[in-house]
Amino acid sequence: MRFLSCLILAALVAGCGGESPQTSGETTPPAALAPLPAGVPVFNADSAFAFTKKQVEFGPRVPNSAAHQACAAWLESTLKRFGATVQTQDFQQMAFDGKQLQLRNVIAQVHPKATRRILLAAHWDTRPFADKDPTRKNAPFDGANDGAGPVGQLLEIVRLLADSATANPGVGLDVVLFDGEDYGYDESTQSELTNMLAGRGQDSWCLGSQYWAKNRLPTGPKPVFGVLLDMSAATGARFSREEQSRTYANEPLQRLWALGQRLGYGAFFLNQDSPGITDDHVYMNQAGIPTLDIIDHVPYGQDYFPAYHHATADNLTLIDRTTLKAVGQTLLTMLFVEGQGGVAGL
């Protein structure tokens, strides 16, 4: 996953136009809003943190490694233990460096009989090398926020909704944990290497979502929209409205941002637009599911990403319970809002 320059973006996604991200200032909520829906569970940040920590304890979840295999089995068994309906999607894919990767997408459903559905997604794998690290470019790293934290948030949402017969938001929930998202070629840090996928019609990033988009599971009703989480659990995280999210999923994007601000999380959900990126939501949109991306971006000076991105600093010390809660509670509430026909003013 990486920043697309405007020259590249112009060929892939309309609307860059060389513009810088624009900040419009804080929005004043409408004076008369309908009450938020009743019965929304309280998102437990301690629980989400424990799920994040457990993934990190396996070690870097690099495809083909023992840690990767163990974490995949744990994700599947944990979702089943919560009461979700679980499927796995195993496939083989060549990486940009020629390695054949054994990959697994993990898919769960809550309230599988509901015909109106919403999709939440994140990637669970870890990049094999800290190629942006100032001193340890080829070192493995924990991927605590770039992988484990967003998955921890989704696991807690599934636990709350699947483990209680009373916690029914009125919509069905599909959850997809993508594999192979972060095993991509970055020409800015790996120019000495060759991208062996170039010219094959295959992006070196987002391998799991590319496969899933062509082989979508579950095969039932298509979700009305999706939300991708990426780097959504760190201290000081801030989320702007990414360009492809605005292009393909603008209505749910605006509703979600307004809801986050209304719940008191305006310091996270900024009234700011940002350029597009290649992330799993690109291929979710290609599969016909309008999908937005919640990703830490402001930008950070001349870089799209914060300093820990693809570096050994991406470890458990980054994970913040306040951020876990802000994103998790907003998504939980969103599901109930959508299931009850929306809330006036959102």
Side-chain angles (χ1 to χ4, degrees):
M1 178 201 56
R2 57 187 300 274
F3 171 65
L4 291 175
S5 69
C6 284
L7 285 176
I8 298 173
L9 187 60
L12 298 176
V13 183
C16 179
E19 296 179 0
S20 301
Q22 299 296 314
T23 303
S24 58
E26 294 300 319
T27 298
T28 302
L33 289 174
L36 290 167
V40 180
V42 176
F43 185 90
N44 188 324
D46 289 332
S47 179
F49 183 89
F51 295 143
T52 303
K53 182 172 182 288
K54 178 67 176 179
Q55 295 170 79
V56 171
E57 288 173 344
F58 285 111
R61 284 90 54 213
V62 176
N64 294 355
S65 69
H68 183 264
Q69 294 172 7
C71 187
W74 176 79
L75 290 170
E76 183 180 356
S77 64
T78 299
L79 289 163
K80 287 180 178 178
R81 177 166 54 87
F82 292 159
T85 301
V86 181
Q87 298 173 275
T88 58
Q89 193 173 52
D90 295 284
F91 61 103
Q92 182 173 288
Q93 170 65 52
M94 189 180 87
F96 79 90
D97 57 4
K99 291 182 180 178
Q100 292 295 327
L101 306 181
Q102 304 299 321
L103 301 176
R104 173 176 292 183
N105 294 331
V106 181
I107 299 119
Q109 284 192 296
V110 179
H111 304 302
K113 294 183 180 179
T115 56
R116 178 176 168 82
R117 312 195 62 78
I118 292 174
L119 173 60
L120 302 180
H123 77 88
W124 68 273
D125 62 299
T126 309
R127 185 161 176 77
F129 15 72
D131 48 310
K132 289 187 177 180
D133 197 278
T135 59
R136 302 176 61 200
K137 180 175 179 179
N138 293 313
F141 63 101
D142 292 335
N145 191 42
D146 196 354
V151 171
Q153 288 165 318
L154 296 186
L155 290 177
E156 174 61 6
I157 290 172
V158 173
R159 184 188 73 84
L160 290 167
L161 297 183
D163 198 35
S164 172
T166 60
N168 188 340
V171 292
L173 172 63
D174 294 344
V175 172
V176 181
L177 306 180
F178 292 118
D179 200 359
E181 188 270 351
D182 235 354
Y183 206 130
Y185 174 72
D186 187 341
E187 64 267 26
S188 69
T189 58
Q190 299 175 308
S191 59
E192 75 280 8
L193 302 178
T194 299
N195 179 10
M196 297 177 66
L197 291 176
R200 295 185 176 213
Q202 170 77 56
D203 198 326
S204 66
W205 302 89
C206 307
L207 301 177
S209 55
Q210 289 184 75
Y211 182 87
W212 177 86
K214 297 175 183 177
N215 305 274
R216 186 176 67 86
L217 288 176
T219 56
K222 185 176 288 187
V224 292
F225 69 87
V227 180
L228 174 68
L229 302 185
D230 201 348
M231 297 167 34
S232 58
T235 300
R238 292 176 286 174
F239 312 117
S240 52
R241 297 169 300 220
E242 183 267 346
E243 183 171 20
Q244 296 194 62
S245 303
R246 301 193 315 272
T247 299
Y248 297 106
N250 190 56
E251 289 187 8
L253 170 70
Q254 298 299 336
R255 293 199 302 272
L256 183 62
W257 251 243
L259 179 59
Q261 292 170 1
R262 184 177 175 190
L263 291 172
Y265 302 125
F268 297 91
F269 294 93
L270 305 181
N271 287 312
Q272 177 173 311
D273 296 337
S274 56
I277 58 169
T278 296
D279 205 350
D280 288 322
H281 69 312
V282 170
Y283 302 100
M284 296 166 73
N285 278 301
Q286 287 183 10
I289 301 170
T291 304
L292 63 101
D293 196 359
I294 298 178
I295 184 168
D296 187 359
H297 168 62
V298 274
Y300 293 86
Q302 297 301 310
D303 198 345
Y304 195 99
F305 300 111
Y308 64 78
H309 182 243
H310 293 175
T312 57
D314 186 0
N315 55 50
L316 202 61
T317 63
L318 284 177
I319 305 303
D320 184 81
R321 287 170 173 81
T322 303
T323 309
L324 289 167
K325 172 83 171 184
V327 174
Q329 193 65 62
T330 300
L331 289 175
L332 266 174
T333 308
M334 174 202 74
L335 293 172
F336 281 75
V337 168
E338 295 292 332
Q340 298 182 21
V343 175
L346 294 182

